[in-house]
């Protein structure tokens, strides 16, 4: 058996132990030696757990044991997760993690340390939960130039938007349902303000470009300002509101645009039908075209399964480094204010004349629930142009991006339908 250790015995950590035990026969199909959890590091004791005798409180027990070849970091946060991961890698122990915050902030540094010590640093579970996405990007797409990655990367917000749409609920009511059903935390800020999917698209952008893209560098907008009328307008033009992480990698300049925001997604688009707590990730390669990844983006066992998939790969390559294509250098980011997009704008009826003067001949859209306003789709423009035009509207209420990239029909066609 190949000995492993788990750092942090919370939801994901306990799930890792369960997956290794319950699916040992399946693991041995690709790894005949099998896996065994020798240690579990946690501040707490778990006297009622079947793993109680494996719990230790000192990282040095794991660091000093040469039998432990692979360490699963499921602690969360930057510290002590970074220090412990770094120490393990420096001892030649491969590390895998579900910790998106750590991967976003310091993943490139840890990948370099792993390479220097002939071991590996993998983090499949940090982005799509149980959805395999990072490994395909690294292996199946190794011959491709990935131009775009667009995804619904947070099940909580997708559940809230689905409920608002299907049951005509206000945002606060749908959020309460998500919390009552265990899909949202008591403090849901990381989800509803977009921080969680923003970290995930930053990680994906880093893998696509080979340079670090940090959460702090990515424009981020959540769904807390979305109301049920936004969804009714979207339905009127045959679209749905989705919180998306967007990455566009320009092949000519090698620059990358990364953003997290609500988008209006057209009918027929693969992400349009991704509902409830599910995630969907669309990848475009310059040769293979478009491919869709769909599944459970979170949850104890799906996420733990992704961690164990990394453990198996690391166990198959002991003593050498798995090159994930990530370096401790920064990606070349586009100025987001220069990126041209279309917007769906809501404003009051008093702006009808101004809209025509400023935005040209647009198609007005209205819904019976709101009698004092209308909405319209703009032509493509950059953020500075959009803001300058909006300043001229006396009754401006809201602007939401349209997902032009990957669209199967034009917004003008949708608005006329």
């Amino acid at each position: 058996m190949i000995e492993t250790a788990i750092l942090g015995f919370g939801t994901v950590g306990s799930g890792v132990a369960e997956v290794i035990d319950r699916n040992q026969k399946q693991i041995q199909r690709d790894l005949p030696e099998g896996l065994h959890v020798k240690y579990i590091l946690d501040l707490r004791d778990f006297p009622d757990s079947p793993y109680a005798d494996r719990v230790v409180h000192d990282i040095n027990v794991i660091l000093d044991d040469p039998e432990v070849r692979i360490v699963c970091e499921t602690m969360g946060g930057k510290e002590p997760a970074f220090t412990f991961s770094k120490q393990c890698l420096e001892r030649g122990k491969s590390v895998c993690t579900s910790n998106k915050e750590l991967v976003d902030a310091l993943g490139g540094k840890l990948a370099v340390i792993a390479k220097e010590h002939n071991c590996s640093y993998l983090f499949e579970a940090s982005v799509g939960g149980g959805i395999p996405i990072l490994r395909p990007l690294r292996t199946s797409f190794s011959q491709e130039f990935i131009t775009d990655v667009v995804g619904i990367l947070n099940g909580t917000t997708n559940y809230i938007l689905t409920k608002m749409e299907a049951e005509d609920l206000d945002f606060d009511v749908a959020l309460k349902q998500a919390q009552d059903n265990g899909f949202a935390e008591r403090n849901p800020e990381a989800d509803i303000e977009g921080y969680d999917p923003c970290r995930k698209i930053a990680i994906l952008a880093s893998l696509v470009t080979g340079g670090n893209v940090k959460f702090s560098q990515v424009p981020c907008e959540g769904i807390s300002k979305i109301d049920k009328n936004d969804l009714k307008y979207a339905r009127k033009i045959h679209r749905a509101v989705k919180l998306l992480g967007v990455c566009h990698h320009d092949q000519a300049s090698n620059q990358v645009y990364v953003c997290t925001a609500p988008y209006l997604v057209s009918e027929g688009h693969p992400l349009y039908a991704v509902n409830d707590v599910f995630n969907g990730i669309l990848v475009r390669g310059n040769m293979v075209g478009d491919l869709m990844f769909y599944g459970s983006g979170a949850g104890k066992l799906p996420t733990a399964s992704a961690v164990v998939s990394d453990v198996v790969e690391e166990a198959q390559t002991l003593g050498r480094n798995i090159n994930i294509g990530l370096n401790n250098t920064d990606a070349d980011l586009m100025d987001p204010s220069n990126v041209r997009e279309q917007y769906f704008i809501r404003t009051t009826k008093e702006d009808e004349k101004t809209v025509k003067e400023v935005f040209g001949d647009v198609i007005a859209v209205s819904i019976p629930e709101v009698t004092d306003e209308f909405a319209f789709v703009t032509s493509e423009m950059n953020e500075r142009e959009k803001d300058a035009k909006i300043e001229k509207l006396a009754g401006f209420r809201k602007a939401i991006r349209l997902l032009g990239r990957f669209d199967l029909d034009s917004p003008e066609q949708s608005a006329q339908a």
Side-chain angles (χ1 to χ4, degrees), residues 123-126 128-132 135 301-311:
F123 39 90
E124 180 64 62
S126 67
I131 303 173
R135 186 171 290 104
L301 293 179
T303 304
S305 178
V307 174
V308 177
S309 75
D310 282 345
V311 177

Side-chain angles (χ1 to χ4, degrees), residues 261-281:
Y263 277 81
L264 290 173
V265 179
S266 63
E267 285 182 359
H269 188 287
L271 293 174
Y272 179 90
V274 178
N275 292 315
D276 296 313
V277 295
F278 288 96
N279 285 191
I281 306 168

Side-chain angles (χ1 to χ4, degrees), residues 177-192:
Q177 280 195 16
Q179 290 172 319
D180 290 345
N181 288 317
F183 299 134
E185 302 289 341
R186 181 173 297 177
N187 178 1
E189 182 181 15
D191 295 323
I192 64 174

